[in-house]
Amino acid sequence: ESAAFALRAGGDGLREERIRNGDILLLERGGEVREGETVLVLSREGAAELGRFEETLRQAAEAGEVLVAGLLLGVIRTY
């Protein structure tokens, strides 16, 4: 079952995705993820990071090194 949730972005690591520090990220948990989509992943240590779901990340998820916690649906920015 899918469920939507929101997180506030910290840092400016995803400028190429046009995501900035303080943006609110809308994500979906439990949805199907396809190659090239932006996802939130959690490491075994608990660190959260956004990234493109590509071959390297897919392999890490299959190996249990990271958990795909959500699919990015949208970004809310306040000024």
mmCIF file of all heavy atoms in Angstrom, residues 2-55:
data_model
loop_
_atom_site.group_PDB
_atom_site.id
_atom_site.type_symbol
_atom_site.label_atom_id
_atom_site.label_comp_id
_atom_site.label_asym_id
_atom_site.label_seq_id
_atom_site.Cartn_x
_atom_site.Cartn_y
_atom_site.Cartn_z
ATOM 1 N N SER A 2 0.555 2.187 -0.829
ATOM 2 C CA SER A 2 1.358 3.403 -0.904
ATOM 3 C C SER A 2 0.812 4.449 0.060
ATOM 4 O O SER A 2 -0.361 4.442 0.411
ATOM 5 C CB SER A 2 1.387 3.955 -2.324
ATOM 6 O OG SER A 2 0.103 4.340 -2.721
ATOM 7 N N ALA A 3 1.705 5.320 0.487
ATOM 8 C CA ALA A 3 1.338 6.414 1.387
ATOM 9 C C ALA A 3 2.240 7.598 1.094
ATOM 10 O O ALA A 3 3.433 7.441 0.862
ATOM 11 C CB ALA A 3 1.495 5.975 2.837
ATOM 12 N N ALA A 4 1.659 8.782 1.096
ATOM 13 C CA ALA A 4 2.440 9.989 0.843
ATOM 14 C C ALA A 4 2.956 10.558 2.160
ATOM 15 O O ALA A 4 2.321 10.413 3.200
ATOM 16 C CB ALA A 4 1.591 11.020 0.111
ATOM 17 N N PHE A 5 4.122 11.201 2.110
ATOM 18 C CA PHE A 5 4.678 11.879 3.275
ATOM 19 C C PHE A 5 5.537 13.037 2.797
ATOM 20 O O PHE A 5 5.834 13.150 1.612
ATOM 21 C CB PHE A 5 5.455 10.914 4.180
ATOM 22 C CG PHE A 5 6.682 10.291 3.558
ATOM 23 C CD1 PHE A 5 7.950 10.770 3.869
ATOM 24 C CD2 PHE A 5 6.578 9.221 2.687
ATOM 25 C CE1 PHE A 5 9.078 10.196 3.322
ATOM 26 C CE2 PHE A 5 7.698 8.633 2.129
ATOM 27 C CZ PHE A 5 8.952 9.118 2.444
ATOM 28 N N ALA A 6 5.909 13.905 3.717
ATOM 29 C CA ALA A 6 6.697 15.095 3.384
ATOM 30 C C ALA A 6 7.910 15.191 4.295
ATOM 31 O O ALA A 6 7.850 14.804 5.462
ATOM 32 C CB ALA A 6 5.846 16.353 3.514
ATOM 33 N N LEU A 7 8.992 15.715 3.745
ATOM 34 C CA LEU A 7 10.226 15.984 4.487
ATOM 35 C C LEU A 7 10.760 17.337 4.063
ATOM 36 O O LEU A 7 10.560 17.763 2.926
ATOM 37 C CB LEU A 7 11.297 14.940 4.165
ATOM 38 C CG LEU A 7 11.086 13.515 4.614
ATOM 39 C CD1 LEU A 7 12.205 12.647 4.060
ATOM 40 C CD2 LEU A 7 11.058 13.434 6.126
ATOM 41 N N ARG A 8 11.470 17.999 4.957
ATOM 42 C CA ARG A 8 12.127 19.259 4.611
ATOM 43 C C ARG A 8 13.569 18.942 4.210
ATOM 44 O O ARG A 8 14.287 18.257 4.923
ATOM 45 C CB ARG A 8 12.102 20.224 5.784
ATOM 46 C CG ARG A 8 12.641 21.607 5.406
ATOM 47 C CD ARG A 8 12.416 22.640 6.497
ATOM 48 N NE ARG A 8 11.028 22.831 6.834
ATOM 49 C CZ ARG A 8 10.167 23.631 6.203
ATOM 50 N NH1 ARG A 8 10.567 24.299 5.143
ATOM 51 N NH2 ARG A 8 8.927 23.760 6.618
ATOM 52 N N ALA A 9 13.982 19.442 3.049
ATOM 53 C CA ALA A 9 15.335 19.210 2.544
ATOM 54 C C ALA A 9 16.342 20.001 3.360
ATOM 55 O O ALA A 9 16.103 21.149 3.722
ATOM 56 C CB ALA A 9 15.425 19.613 1.073
ATOM 57 N N GLY A 10 17.463 19.381 3.614
ATOM 58 C CA GLY A 10 18.560 20.042 4.305
ATOM 59 C C GLY A 10 19.793 20.017 3.422
ATOM 60 O O GLY A 10 20.183 18.966 2.941
ATOM 61 N N GLY A 11 20.363 21.159 3.149
ATOM 62 C CA GLY A 11 21.543 21.237 2.284
ATOM 63 C C GLY A 11 21.158 21.544 0.844
ATOM 64 O O GLY A 11 19.991 21.543 0.475
ATOM 65 N N ASP A 12 22.168 21.789 0.035
ATOM 66 C CA ASP A 12 21.958 22.142 -1.366
ATOM 67 C C ASP A 12 22.590 21.113 -2.296
ATOM 68 O O ASP A 12 23.061 21.449 -3.367
ATOM 69 C CB ASP A 12 22.554 23.527 -1.659
ATOM 70 C CG ASP A 12 21.740 24.638 -1.023
ATOM 71 O OD1 ASP A 12 20.504 24.547 -1.070
ATOM 72 O OD2 ASP A 12 22.344 25.582 -0.492
ATOM 73 N N GLY A 13 22.570 19.853 -1.917
ATOM 74 C CA GLY A 13 23.227 18.809 -2.692
ATOM 75 C C GLY A 13 22.544 18.445 -3.987
ATOM 76 O O GLY A 13 23.131 17.779 -4.811
ATOM 77 N N LEU A 14 21.302 18.882 -4.186
ATOM 78 C CA LEU A 14 20.589 18.498 -5.399
ATOM 79 C C LEU A 14 20.196 19.696 -6.246
ATOM 80 O O LEU A 14 19.081 19.809 -6.719
ATOM 81 C CB LEU A 14 19.353 17.663 -5.044
ATOM 82 C CG LEU A 14 19.659 16.221 -4.698
ATOM 83 C CD1 LEU A 14 18.431 15.516 -4.179
ATOM 84 C CD2 LEU A 14 20.208 15.489 -5.909
ATOM 85 N N ARG A 15 21.121 20.578 -6.470
ATOM 86 C CA ARG A 15 20.839 21.761 -7.290
ATOM 87 C C ARG A 15 20.417 21.375 -8.711
ATOM 88 O O ARG A 15 19.579 22.025 -9.307
ATOM 89 C CB ARG A 15 22.047 22.684 -7.339
ATOM 90 C CG ARG A 15 22.220 23.481 -6.068
ATOM 91 C CD ARG A 15 22.811 24.844 -6.415
ATOM 92 N NE ARG A 15 22.816 25.699 -5.258
ATOM 93 C CZ ARG A 15 21.826 26.507 -4.940
ATOM 94 N NH1 ARG A 15 20.753 26.550 -5.665
ATOM 95 N NH2 ARG A 15 21.892 27.274 -3.878
ATOM 96 N N GLU A 16 21.017 20.293 -9.253
ATOM 97 C CA GLU A 16 20.638 19.878 -10.606
ATOM 98 C C GLU A 16 19.185 19.411 -10.669
ATOM 99 O O GLU A 16 18.566 19.438 -11.718
ATOM 100 C CB GLU A 16 21.574 18.781 -11.142
ATOM 101 C CG GLU A 16 21.470 17.450 -10.421
ATOM 102 C CD GLU A 16 22.302 17.355 -9.159
ATOM 103 O OE1 GLU A 16 22.970 18.325 -8.795
ATOM 104 O OE2 GLU A 16 22.276 16.290 -8.536
ATOM 105 N N GLU A 17 18.613 19.023 -9.541
ATOM 106 C CA GLU A 17 17.202 18.650 -9.462
ATOM 107 C C GLU A 17 16.333 19.858 -9.090
ATOM 108 O O GLU A 17 15.130 19.716 -8.925
ATOM 109 C CB GLU A 17 17.005 17.561 -8.408
ATOM 110 C CG GLU A 17 17.758 16.295 -8.672
ATOM 111 C CD GLU A 17 17.187 15.520 -9.834
ATOM 112 O OE1 GLU A 17 15.979 15.650 -10.111
ATOM 113 O OE2 GLU A 17 17.954 14.800 -10.474
ATOM 114 N N ARG A 18 16.976 21.012 -8.930
ATOM 115 C CA ARG A 18 16.311 22.244 -8.511
ATOM 116 C C ARG A 18 15.695 22.129 -7.117
ATOM 117 O O ARG A 18 14.648 22.699 -6.836
ATOM 118 C CB ARG A 18 15.278 22.680 -9.548
ATOM 119 C CG ARG A 18 15.905 23.037 -10.864
ATOM 120 C CD ARG A 18 14.910 23.654 -11.804
ATOM 121 N NE ARG A 18 15.591 24.149 -12.972
ATOM 122 C CZ ARG A 18 15.480 23.585 -14.174
ATOM 123 N NH1 ARG A 18 14.728 22.542 -14.346
ATOM 124 N NH2 ARG A 18 16.114 24.106 -15.186
ATOM 125 N N ILE A 19 16.352 21.361 -6.266
ATOM 126 C CA ILE A 19 15.930 21.222 -4.871
ATOM 127 C C ILE A 19 16.916 22.001 -4.023
ATOM 128 O O ILE A 19 18.127 21.849 -4.160
ATOM 129 C CB ILE A 19 15.893 19.743 -4.450
ATOM 130 C CG1 ILE A 19 14.832 19.012 -5.278
ATOM 131 C CG2 ILE A 19 15.603 19.614 -2.961
ATOM 132 C CD1 ILE A 19 14.829 17.515 -5.108
ATOM 133 N N ARG A 20 16.384 22.851 -3.140
ATOM 134 C CA ARG A 20 17.231 23.713 -2.312
ATOM 135 C C ARG A 20 16.982 23.473 -0.827
ATOM 136 O O ARG A 20 15.959 22.920 -0.440
ATOM 137 C CB ARG A 20 16.940 25.181 -2.640
ATOM 138 C CG ARG A 20 17.274 25.537 -4.062
ATOM 139 C CD ARG A 20 17.039 26.988 -4.310
ATOM 140 N NE ARG A 20 17.293 27.294 -5.717
ATOM 141 C CZ ARG A 20 16.764 28.293 -6.344
ATOM 142 N NH1 ARG A 20 15.934 29.108 -5.715
ATOM 143 N NH2 ARG A 20 17.036 28.507 -7.605
ATOM 144 N N ASN A 21 17.918 23.941 -0.026
ATOM 145 C CA ASN A 21 17.797 23.850 1.425
ATOM 146 C C ASN A 21 16.474 24.479 1.871
ATOM 147 O O ASN A 21 16.150 25.594 1.482
ATOM 148 C CB ASN A 21 18.980 24.570 2.079
ATOM 149 C CG ASN A 21 19.011 24.382 3.563
ATOM 150 O OD1 ASN A 21 18.730 23.302 4.052
ATOM 151 N ND2 ASN A 21 19.358 25.424 4.288
ATOM 152 N N GLY A 22 15.700 23.757 2.666
ATOM 153 C CA GLY A 22 14.436 24.265 3.180
ATOM 154 C C GLY A 22 13.216 23.888 2.360
ATOM 155 O O GLY A 22 12.086 24.055 2.812
ATOM 156 N N ASP A 23 13.405 23.375 1.138
ATOM 157 C CA ASP A 23 12.263 22.931 0.338
ATOM 158 C C ASP A 23 11.535 21.794 1.046
ATOM 159 O O ASP A 23 12.148 21.002 1.766
ATOM 160 C CB ASP A 23 12.720 22.426 -1.036
ATOM 161 C CG ASP A 23 13.132 23.530 -1.985
ATOM 162 O OD1 ASP A 23 12.911 24.711 -1.668
ATOM 163 O OD2 ASP A 23 13.679 23.197 -3.051
ATOM 164 N N ILE A 24 10.250 21.692 0.814
ATOM 165 C CA ILE A 24 9.462 20.579 1.334
ATOM 166 C C ILE A 24 9.317 19.569 0.209
ATOM 167 O O ILE A 24 8.865 19.904 -0.890
ATOM 168 C CB ILE A 24 8.087 21.045 1.840
ATOM 169 C CG1 ILE A 24 8.290 22.027 2.988
ATOM 170 C CG2 ILE A 24 7.235 19.854 2.273
ATOM 171 C CD1 ILE A 24 7.022 22.736 3.414
ATOM 172 N N LEU A 25 9.735 18.336 0.477
ATOM 173 C CA LEU A 25 9.702 17.275 -0.520
ATOM 174 C C LEU A 25 8.482 16.402 -0.280
ATOM 175 O O LEU A 25 8.256 15.935 0.832
ATOM 176 C CB LEU A 25 10.963 16.414 -0.418
ATOM 177 C CG LEU A 25 12.289 17.169 -0.399
ATOM 178 C CD1 LEU A 25 13.434 16.200 -0.201
ATOM 179 C CD2 LEU A 25 12.466 17.978 -1.668
ATOM 180 N N LEU A 26 7.691 16.197 -1.306
ATOM 181 C CA LEU A 26 6.540 15.305 -1.230
ATOM 182 C C LEU A 26 6.954 13.968 -1.823
ATOM 183 O O LEU A 26 7.421 13.910 -2.968
ATOM 184 C CB LEU A 26 5.362 15.880 -2.006
ATOM 185 C CG LEU A 26 4.908 17.273 -1.571
ATOM 186 C CD1 LEU A 26 3.809 17.774 -2.489
ATOM 187 C CD2 LEU A 26 4.446 17.265 -0.135
ATOM 188 N N LEU A 27 6.808 12.918 -1.025
ATOM 189 C CA LEU A 27 7.268 11.596 -1.441
ATOM 190 C C LEU A 27 6.165 10.558 -1.270
ATOM 191 O O LEU A 27 5.243 10.750 -0.491
ATOM 192 C CB LEU A 27 8.488 11.174 -0.609
ATOM 193 C CG LEU A 27 9.678 12.123 -0.730
ATOM 194 C CD1 LEU A 27 10.000 12.722 0.600
ATOM 195 C CD2 LEU A 27 10.859 11.423 -1.324
ATOM 196 N N GLU A 28 6.306 9.460 -2.013
ATOM 197 C CA GLU A 28 5.370 8.350 -1.892
ATOM 198 C C GLU A 28 6.129 7.107 -1.469
ATOM 199 O O GLU A 28 7.112 6.725 -2.092
ATOM 200 C CB GLU A 28 4.676 8.090 -3.236
ATOM 201 C CG GLU A 28 3.710 6.928 -3.186
ATOM 202 C CD GLU A 28 3.080 6.658 -4.531
ATOM 203 O OE1 GLU A 28 3.673 7.000 -5.570
ATOM 204 O OE2 GLU A 28 1.989 6.098 -4.528
ATOM 205 N N ARG A 29 5.650 6.485 -0.411
ATOM 206 C CA ARG A 29 6.241 5.251 0.086
ATOM 207 C C ARG A 29 5.454 4.080 -0.512
ATOM 208 O O ARG A 29 4.227 4.136 -0.590
ATOM 209 C CB ARG A 29 6.140 5.216 1.604
ATOM 210 C CG ARG A 29 6.677 4.002 2.261
ATOM 211 C CD ARG A 29 6.462 3.979 3.761
ATOM 212 N NE ARG A 29 5.826 5.164 4.283
ATOM 213 C CZ ARG A 29 6.365 5.977 5.174
ATOM 214 N NH1 ARG A 29 7.547 5.729 5.654
ATOM 215 N NH2 ARG A 29 5.719 7.032 5.605
ATOM 216 N N GLY A 30 6.149 3.049 -0.926
ATOM 217 C CA GLY A 30 5.482 1.840 -1.377
ATOM 218 C C GLY A 30 5.135 1.788 -2.841
ATOM 219 O O GLY A 30 4.608 0.793 -3.316
ATOM 220 N N GLY A 31 5.418 2.849 -3.574
ATOM 221 C CA GLY A 31 5.135 2.835 -5.013
ATOM 222 C C GLY A 31 6.241 2.136 -5.785
ATOM 223 O O GLY A 31 7.328 1.909 -5.279
ATOM 224 N N GLU A 32 5.956 1.802 -7.012
ATOM 225 C CA GLU A 32 6.957 1.199 -7.877
ATOM 226 C C GLU A 32 7.917 2.274 -8.368
ATOM 227 O O GLU A 32 7.500 3.358 -8.751
ATOM 228 C CB GLU A 32 6.286 0.533 -9.072
ATOM 229 C CG GLU A 32 7.251 -0.210 -9.947
ATOM 230 C CD GLU A 32 6.563 -0.921 -11.088
ATOM 231 O OE1 GLU A 32 5.412 -1.342 -10.915
ATOM 232 O OE2 GLU A 32 7.200 -1.029 -12.156
ATOM 233 N N VAL A 33 9.200 1.967 -8.337
ATOM 234 C CA VAL A 33 10.236 2.918 -8.751
ATOM 235 C C VAL A 33 10.811 2.454 -10.085
ATOM 236 O O VAL A 33 11.136 1.289 -10.261
ATOM 237 C CB VAL A 33 11.352 3.018 -7.688
ATOM 238 C CG1 VAL A 33 12.439 3.961 -8.137
ATOM 239 C CG2 VAL A 33 10.775 3.441 -6.352
ATOM 240 N N ARG A 34 10.961 3.403 -11.004
ATOM 241 C CA ARG A 34 11.521 3.105 -12.321
ATOM 242 C C ARG A 34 12.866 3.812 -12.500
ATOM 243 O O ARG A 34 13.126 4.819 -11.859
ATOM 244 C CB ARG A 34 10.548 3.520 -13.417
ATOM 245 C CG ARG A 34 9.283 2.670 -13.434
ATOM 246 C CD ARG A 34 8.417 3.039 -14.610
ATOM 247 N NE ARG A 34 7.941 4.415 -14.519
ATOM 248 C CZ ARG A 34 6.719 4.758 -14.125
ATOM 249 N NH1 ARG A 34 5.854 3.851 -13.794
ATOM 250 N NH2 ARG A 34 6.384 6.022 -14.079
ATOM 251 N N GLU A 35 13.636 3.281 -13.402
ATOM 252 C CA GLU A 35 14.950 3.837 -13.741
ATOM 253 C C GLU A 35 14.844 5.330 -14.036
ATOM 254 O O GLU A 35 13.952 5.769 -14.770
ATOM 255 C CB GLU A 35 15.486 3.102 -14.980
ATOM 256 C CG GLU A 35 16.908 3.418 -15.316
ATOM 257 C CD GLU A 35 17.900 2.548 -14.579
ATOM 258 O OE1 GLU A 35 17.509 1.561 -13.946
ATOM 259 O OE2 GLU A 35 19.083 2.880 -14.638
ATOM 260 N N GLY A 36 15.732 6.123 -13.424
ATOM 261 C CA GLY A 36 15.796 7.556 -13.685
ATOM 262 C C GLY A 36 14.960 8.412 -12.757
ATOM 263 O O GLY A 36 15.111 9.631 -12.750
ATOM 264 N N GLU A 37 14.080 7.801 -11.959
ATOM 265 C CA GLU A 37 13.265 8.598 -11.044
ATOM 266 C C GLU A 37 14.080 9.003 -9.818
ATOM 267 O O GLU A 37 15.069 8.350 -9.472
ATOM 268 C CB GLU A 37 12.018 7.812 -10.613
ATOM 269 C CG GLU A 37 11.066 7.583 -11.763
ATOM 270 C CD GLU A 37 9.808 6.854 -11.359
ATOM 271 O OE1 GLU A 37 9.898 5.828 -10.654
ATOM 272 O OE2 GLU A 37 8.733 7.310 -11.770
ATOM 273 N N THR A 38 13.684 10.092 -9.175
ATOM 274 C CA THR A 38 14.375 10.569 -7.977
ATOM 275 C C THR A 38 13.742 9.918 -6.758
ATOM 276 O O THR A 38 12.519 9.940 -6.600
ATOM 277 C CB THR A 38 14.294 12.095 -7.871
ATOM 278 O OG1 THR A 38 14.869 12.662 -9.057
ATOM 279 C CG2 THR A 38 15.064 12.605 -6.663
ATOM 280 N N VAL A 39 14.585 9.328 -5.914
ATOM 281 C CA VAL A 39 14.113 8.599 -4.749
ATOM 282 C C VAL A 39 14.852 9.036 -3.486
ATOM 283 O O VAL A 39 15.956 9.571 -3.550
ATOM 284 C CB VAL A 39 14.285 7.069 -4.927
ATOM 285 C CG1 VAL A 39 13.397 6.547 -6.041
ATOM 286 C CG2 VAL A 39 15.731 6.694 -5.170
ATOM 287 N N LEU A 40 14.218 8.785 -2.356
ATOM 288 C CA LEU A 40 14.846 8.965 -1.049
ATOM 289 C C LEU A 40 15.348 7.602 -0.612
ATOM 290 O O LEU A 40 14.583 6.635 -0.592
ATOM 291 C CB LEU A 40 13.833 9.496 -0.036
ATOM 292 C CG LEU A 40 14.321 9.601 1.403
ATOM 293 C CD1 LEU A 40 15.340 10.717 1.538
ATOM 294 C CD2 LEU A 40 13.157 9.814 2.346
ATOM 295 N N VAL A 41 16.630 7.504 -0.306
ATOM 296 C CA VAL A 41 17.193 6.243 0.173
ATOM 297 C C VAL A 41 17.748 6.421 1.575
ATOM 298 O O VAL A 41 18.193 7.507 1.947
ATOM 299 C CB VAL A 41 18.301 5.696 -0.767
ATOM 300 C CG1 VAL A 41 17.735 5.307 -2.105
ATOM 301 C CG2 VAL A 41 19.431 6.676 -0.920
ATOM 302 N N LEU A 42 17.689 5.351 2.345
ATOM 303 C CA LEU A 42 18.238 5.317 3.692
ATOM 304 C C LEU A 42 19.369 4.302 3.727
ATOM 305 O O LEU A 42 19.200 3.173 3.263
ATOM 306 C CB LEU A 42 17.167 4.916 4.706
ATOM 307 C CG LEU A 42 15.927 5.785 4.769
ATOM 308 C CD1 LEU A 42 14.911 5.183 5.736
ATOM 309 C CD2 LEU A 42 16.281 7.200 5.175
ATOM 310 N N SER A 43 20.511 4.703 4.299
ATOM 311 C CA SER A 43 21.628 3.776 4.453
ATOM 312 C C SER A 43 21.400 2.930 5.702
ATOM 313 O O SER A 43 20.520 3.219 6.512
ATOM 314 C CB SER A 43 22.946 4.538 4.580
ATOM 315 O OG SER A 43 22.996 5.213 5.818
ATOM 316 N N ARG A 44 22.185 1.902 5.857
ATOM 317 C CA ARG A 44 22.099 1.063 7.072
ATOM 318 C C ARG A 44 22.371 1.880 8.330
ATOM 319 O O ARG A 44 21.864 1.570 9.390
ATOM 320 C CB ARG A 44 23.100 -0.079 6.992
ATOM 321 C CG ARG A 44 22.690 -1.152 6.046
ATOM 322 C CD ARG A 44 23.581 -2.339 6.212
ATOM 323 N NE ARG A 44 24.062 -2.733 4.895
ATOM 324 C CZ ARG A 44 24.938 -3.685 4.683
ATOM 325 N NH1 ARG A 44 25.458 -4.329 5.699
ATOM 326 N NH2 ARG A 44 25.299 -3.985 3.473
ATOM 327 N N GLU A 45 23.174 2.933 8.185
ATOM 328 C CA GLU A 45 23.507 3.795 9.330
ATOM 329 C C GLU A 45 22.394 4.799 9.623
ATOM 330 O O GLU A 45 22.469 5.547 10.589
ATOM 331 C CB GLU A 45 24.819 4.537 9.060
ATOM 332 C CG GLU A 45 26.031 3.643 8.950
ATOM 333 C CD GLU A 45 26.142 2.957 7.590
ATOM 334 O OE1 GLU A 45 25.655 3.515 6.577
ATOM 335 O OE2 GLU A 45 26.706 1.859 7.543
ATOM 336 N N GLY A 46 21.390 4.867 8.755
ATOM 337 C CA GLY A 46 20.260 5.771 8.979
ATOM 338 C C GLY A 46 20.347 7.100 8.253
ATOM 339 O O GLY A 46 19.473 7.943 8.407
ATOM 340 N N ALA A 47 21.396 7.308 7.461
ATOM 341 C CA ALA A 47 21.514 8.557 6.701
ATOM 342 C C ALA A 47 20.517 8.553 5.551
ATOM 343 O O ALA A 47 20.343 7.543 4.869
ATOM 344 C CB ALA A 47 22.934 8.716 6.169
ATOM 345 N N ALA A 48 19.863 9.681 5.331
ATOM 346 C CA ALA A 48 18.895 9.822 4.242
ATOM 347 C C ALA A 48 19.502 10.671 3.140
ATOM 348 O O ALA A 48 20.182 11.657 3.405
ATOM 349 C CB ALA A 48 17.620 10.471 4.762
ATOM 350 N N GLU A 49 19.229 10.275 1.885
ATOM 351 C CA GLU A 49 19.780 11.006 0.747
ATOM 352 C C GLU A 49 18.854 10.851 -0.459
ATOM 353 O O GLU A 49 18.272 9.792 -0.670
ATOM 354 C CB GLU A 49 21.160 10.434 0.417
ATOM 355 C CG GLU A 49 21.887 11.170 -0.659
ATOM 356 C CD GLU A 49 23.306 10.628 -0.846
ATOM 357 O OE1 GLU A 49 23.938 10.236 0.142
ATOM 358 O OE2 GLU A 49 23.760 10.609 -2.002
ATOM 359 N N LEU A 50 18.742 11.920 -1.238
ATOM 360 C CA LEU A 50 17.994 11.852 -2.497
ATOM 361 C C LEU A 50 18.949 11.508 -3.627
ATOM 362 O O LEU A 50 20.094 11.954 -3.628
ATOM 363 C CB LEU A 50 17.336 13.200 -2.814
ATOM 364 C CG LEU A 50 16.080 13.549 -2.052
ATOM 365 C CD1 LEU A 50 15.652 14.970 -2.374
ATOM 366 C CD2 LEU A 50 14.952 12.584 -2.347
ATOM 367 N N GLY A 51 18.469 10.731 -4.569
ATOM 368 C CA GLY A 51 19.301 10.406 -5.716
ATOM 369 C C GLY A 51 18.473 9.821 -6.844
ATOM 370 O O GLY A 51 17.322 9.450 -6.661
ATOM 371 N N ARG A 52 19.082 9.763 -8.013
ATOM 372 C CA ARG A 52 18.435 9.156 -9.172
ATOM 373 C C ARG A 52 18.503 7.637 -9.039
ATOM 374 O O ARG A 52 19.550 7.092 -8.692
ATOM 375 C CB ARG A 52 19.147 9.557 -10.456
ATOM 376 C CG ARG A 52 18.912 10.966 -10.832
ATOM 377 C CD ARG A 52 17.752 11.050 -11.753
ATOM 378 N NE ARG A 52 17.554 12.428 -12.164
ATOM 379 C CZ ARG A 52 16.435 12.851 -12.660
ATOM 380 N NH1 ARG A 52 15.430 12.041 -12.816
ATOM 381 N NH2 ARG A 52 16.308 14.105 -12.994
ATOM 382 N N PHE A 53 17.389 6.969 -9.308
ATOM 383 C CA PHE A 53 17.362 5.510 -9.264
ATOM 384 C C PHE A 53 17.946 4.991 -10.567
ATOM 385 O O PHE A 53 17.288 4.936 -11.590
ATOM 386 C CB PHE A 53 15.928 5.006 -9.060
ATOM 387 C CG PHE A 53 15.863 3.557 -8.690
ATOM 388 C CD1 PHE A 53 16.231 3.143 -7.423
ATOM 389 C CD2 PHE A 53 15.442 2.613 -9.603
ATOM 390 C CE1 PHE A 53 16.180 1.798 -7.076
ATOM 391 C CE2 PHE A 53 15.384 1.275 -9.265
ATOM 392 C CZ PHE A 53 15.750 0.867 -7.998
ATOM 393 N N GLU A 54 19.227 4.639 -10.512
ATOM 394 C CA GLU A 54 19.945 4.132 -11.663
ATOM 395 C C GLU A 54 20.621 2.837 -11.265
ATOM 396 O O GLU A 54 20.450 2.362 -10.149
ATOM 397 C CB GLU A 54 20.935 5.179 -12.170
ATOM 398 C CG GLU A 54 20.209 6.415 -12.704
ATOM 399 C CD GLU A 54 21.118 7.544 -13.132
ATOM 400 O OE1 GLU A 54 22.318 7.514 -12.800
ATOM 401 O OE2 GLU A 54 20.622 8.463 -13.790
ATOM 402 N N GLU A 55 21.380 2.256 -12.159
ATOM 403 C CA GLU A 55 21.937 0.915 -11.974
ATOM 404 C C GLU A 55 22.668 0.735 -10.639
ATOM 405 O O GLU A 55 22.414 -0.222 -9.918
ATOM 406 C CB GLU A 55 22.879 0.587 -13.139
ATOM 407 C CG GLU A 55 23.440 -0.809 -13.124
ATOM 408 C CD GLU A 55 22.390 -1.898 -13.342
ATOM 409 O OE1 GLU A 55 21.312 -1.605 -13.908
ATOM 410 O OE2 GLU A 55 22.639 -3.040 -12.939
#
